[in-house]
Amino acid sequence: MTVLTIATTPYADQKPGTSGLRKKVPVFQQPNYAANFIQSIFDSLDGFAGTTLVIGGDGRFFNREVIQIAIRMGIANGFGRIIVGRGGILSTPAASCVIRAYGAFGGIVLSASHNPGGPTEDFGIKYNISNGGPAPEKITDAIFAISRTITRYLTIEAPDVDLDKDGETRIGGSVVQIIDPVADYAALMEQLFDFDAIRTLIGSGFRVAFDAMSAVTGPYATEILERRLGCPAGTVRNGTPLPDFGGHHPDPNLVHAKELYDLMMGADAPDFGAASDGDGDRNLIIGKGIFVTPSDSLAMLAANAHLAPGYKAGLKGIARSMPTSGAADRVAEALGVPLYETPTGWKFFGNLLDAGMATICGEESAGTGSDHVREKDGLWAVLLWLNILAARRESVMAIAQDHWSRFGRNYYARHDYEGVDSAAADAMMAELRGKLGTLPGTAFGTLTVATSDDFAYLDPVDGSTSNQQGIRILFEGGSRIVFRLSGTGTSGATIRVYIERYEPVGGDLAQATPDAIADLVGTVEAIAGIARHTGRTEPDVIT
Ligand code: VG1
Ligand code: CO
């Protein structure tokens, strides 16, 4: 086997965002674009000669091509074993599981998650470290720095590997191993949850609807829900992964999973509805007649996790991203465990999980997970819900109402302004930042600003700091509005506005969310001037 050194020139735009490098497919199709980034990943790492690299993706358009590139480059760069999910498929949580299960050095995960797929849509590449989690900022910064000066990449001359046949192929001194993408993950789920109890629940006529959104979770959900837990065929909808997700956004929110939402609100609704995103790490939970916000779901899962075998010893701590509502904080307090508030993105949870400081983590963007892997995990959340429902034998609605009556309710919504002119969005954030010192004490209608800041995180494990992670406006009485720019979009900027109001026990816990937060929504323009800066008067997506 001859290692080829191919001359290349750098691209200036390979800065990883919240979760890896995401660009439109035509950007990735430029000469050497993917190879440059993959070589920059390898060049940022040390000591991997002879070790194992995991490669897999969410099956979107361009997945197979980049997998072949990554296999050749992985061998040329000296990995001893390359493990690839059959068909090039590994959901993000399954990739994390496989990296851990096989003791791999790391993994390359090909996904743009909830972003649409297809020839003119999105693609992404992410590097995960040996704990199975997304590379921390120290590594992503190094990858970016290398990508700006790269002059060559390493590959080998070899035919494409047959991705559809399980087994091992020797290429030079390395082995390429194609594995079942579902088996290791499904086995892990069986360890964590009481499958017998869930099977009994299903057998009693409990009805489940799971929308895989034509994305990667289809094969995982079909194996686990239908084959192992006995849900009838057809429980998993849109269960075949398609390169363009059937032309939809594989984003499990109330806009893009509206069909499921309508089903769950209808007369003959199933008992439990759920959906997952493009790469399988997000979850949407809808009970019969009730949508559970991701922030509430995190809190409810944490409060009931001890009902599942994997968590019966209790939680060591709970971690949530800063924009996620404070609902989980009250559960942590009641359980007497610490609550950690991190910047947006799963990479910030890894250290806490590795150090045994947190057991369950979550984000308002429909991501929940635990220390079983180092990624958020859509099906895991679904199975924990099912385990809790099997143990409590109450409806989702009853569990939610009981939760609010014990902890109070955090009314919560996120307003997204998508595809906004980047310069205008930057100007808006800069202006807000400039006002932070003078906002406290200012009244907006009935609301008065108590404090305001730009969230900064000091990692309690490795002492690293991350600044400018979102602007927080906290009002007297505990309500808050958070402003930040998305780090996963691929066209223009996306402004995210997170709005939260806490209603204590004894208050009106049965309001419609838009009514409960109307005052706060009414202050957004006066505080941030979104319309003034961007011309947008309404958000594009409310979740
Ligand atoms: C978004 C979410 C964030 C999540 C990230 C990756 O990031 O807000 O909570 O971790 O997507 O999720 P941003 O920077 O666009 O707000 V996934 O499922 O797209 O990998
Ligand atoms: Co995702």
Side-chain angles (χ1 to χ4, degrees):
M1 179 192 77
T2 323
V3 172
L4 308 174
T5 303
I6 311 287
T8 188
T9 50
Y11 288 91
D13 63 348
Q14 298 195 325
K15 185 175 171 53
T18 310
S19 183
L21 180 70
R22 292 188 190 171
K23 300 283 176 196
K24 295 286 176 209
V25 167
V27 174
F28 268 104
Q29 286 170 326
Q30 297 174 90
N32 300 340
Y33 192 89
N36 274 17
F37 189 69
I38 294 169
Q39 187 64 49
S40 302
I41 294 173
F42 295 151
D43 287 349
S44 76
L45 309 171
D46 272 325
F48 56 81
T51 66
T52 298
L53 178 72
V54 172
I55 305 176
D58 62 13
R60 68 179 61 225
F61 185 86
F62 210 42
N63 193 49
R64 283 173 178 263
E65 288 85 341
V66 177
I67 285 191
Q68 300 289 355
I69 293 171
I71 293 173
R72 289 190 186 94
M73 291 183 63
I75 295 170
N77 278 274
F79 282 95
R81 179 173 288 264
I82 314 268
I83 296 180
V84 188
R86 189 195 312 122
I89 292 286
L90 278 176
S91 76
T92 292
S96 187
C97 164
V98 168
I99 291 169
R100 296 165 69 81
Y102 292 78
F105 186 88
I108 291 181
V109 183
L110 306 176
S111 166
S113 187
H114 57 290
N115 298 7
T120 58
E121 295 295 353
D122 292 4
F123 191 77
I125 304 182
K126 186 167 79 152
Y127 179 69
N128 282 24
I129 58 176
S130 62
N131 71 357
E137 278 188 326
K138 194 169 56 129
I139 294 180
T140 55
D141 288 348
I143 295 171
F144 180 47
I146 292 165
S147 77
R148 301 188 64 151
T149 56
I150 190 167
T151 56
R152 60 91 186 94
Y153 69 88
L154 307 182
T155 188
I156 54 164
E157 213 163 331
D160 279 358
V161 172
D162 181 355
L163 299 177
D164 299 305
K165 214 172 102 222
D166 288 8
E168 301 191 352
T169 316
R170 185 161 283 280
I171 302 179
S174 311
V175 171
V176 178
Q177 181 182 2
I178 307 293
I179 62 163
D180 177 342
V182 177
D184 296 289
Y185 177 83
L188 179 59
M189 294 301 115
E190 292 225 34
Q191 280 170 31
L192 296 174
F193 302 116
D194 186 346
F195 272 39
D196 284 338
I198 302 174
R199 257 192 301 270
T200 305
L201 176 75
I202 304 293
S204 72
F206 184 92
R207 286 161 60 213
V208 176
F210 182 89
D211 190 343
M213 304 192 87
S214 306
V216 79
T217 328
Y220 295 87
T222 306
E223 172 64 26
I224 294 173
L225 297 177
E226 295 188 5
R227 295 207 192 98
R228 301 198 187 192
L229 291 172
C231 290
T235 296
V236 177
R237 295 147 192 254
N238 303 311
T240 305
L242 300 175
D244 67 347
F245 309 117
H248 300 294
H249 285 241
D251 190 348
N253 62 31
L254 298 184
V255 176
H256 298 300
K258 189 167 183 309
E259 223 171 275
L260 179 73
Y261 177 78
D262 290 344
L263 174 76
M264 296 307 298
M265 297 300 141
D268 186 34
D271 299 289
F272 183 77
S276 192
D277 70 331
D279 60 334
D281 58 359
R282 297 189 180 201
N283 69 90
L284 170 73
I285 302 295
I286 314 179
K288 187 189 278 210
I290 179 175
F291 159 62
V292 184
T293 70
S295 295
D296 270 352
S297 178
L298 169 67
M300 293 170 193
L301 291 177
N304 293 284
H306 61 277
L307 298 172
Y311 306 93
K312 66 172 184 293
L315 309 181
K316 294 175 183 141
I318 304 173
R320 64 162 171 85
S321 68
M322 180 275 284
T324 304
S325 96
D329 305 29
R330 296 171 201 284
V331 174
E333 202 185 335
L335 294 174
V337 299
L339 182 286
Y340 302 94
E341 192 177 26
T342 60
T344 295
W346 211 262
K347 59 178 170 254
F348 295 101
F349 294 132
N351 280 348
L352 297 171
L353 294 167
D354 284 352
M357 295 162 75
T359 306
I360 285 194
C361 308
E363 295 193 278
E364 52 65 41
S365 54
T368 358
S370 86
D371 56 3
H372 68 292
V373 290
R374 293 293 181 272
E375 288 278 5
K376 55 189 187 275
D377 187 343
L379 258 182
W380 170 90
V382 170
L383 293 169
L384 181 49
W385 262 105
L386 287 174
N387 198 145
I388 292 165
L389 290 162
R392 289 185 54 161
R393 289 291 179 141
E394 290 170 89
S395 66
V396 174
M397 176 89 83
I399 289 174
Q401 285 170 347
D402 172 61
H403 187 94
W404 295 328
S405 73
R406 288 171 57 204
F407 297 101
R409 180 170 177 186
N410 293 69
Y411 288 102
Y412 188 89
R414 187 178 92 189
H415 290 195
D416 291 336
Y417 300 75
E418 296 179 338
V420 170
D421 177 67
S422 288
D426 288 342
M428 186 213 90
M429 290 297 283
E431 189 182 287
L432 254 180
R433 224 163 248 134
K435 289 205 300 202
L436 286 175
T438 55
L439 274 175
T442 312
F444 295 92
T446 57
L447 295 158
T448 304
V449 177
T451 57
S452 55
D453 68 0
D454 196 346
F455 181 63
Y457 180 61
L458 169 64
D459 185 309
V461 179
D462 67 13
S464 61
T465 51
S466 304
N467 297 316
Q468 301 207 332
Q469 296 294 327
I471 290 177
R472 299 192 285 190
I473 316 286
L474 299 130
F475 297 94
E476 286 171 7
S479 297
R480 71 173 188 165
I481 304 180
V482 173
F483 297 87
R484 63 178 281 282
L485 299 184
S486 156
T488 57
T490 56
S491 43
T494 293
I495 300 170
R496 302 206 196 283
V497 185
Y498 310 81
I499 303 147
E500 175 179 4
R501 184 167 80 78
Y502 177 62
E503 184 76 39
V505 175
D508 185 352
L509 300 172
Q511 298 172 61
T513 297
D515 299 340
I517 61 170
D519 283 10
L520 288 155
V521 173
T523 69
V524 168
E525 184 55 28
I527 293 174
I530 295 179
R532 178 163 48 81
H533 283 285
T534 70
R536 301 292 184 83
T537 51
E538 293 292 332
D540 299 279
V541 178
I542 297 181
T543 49

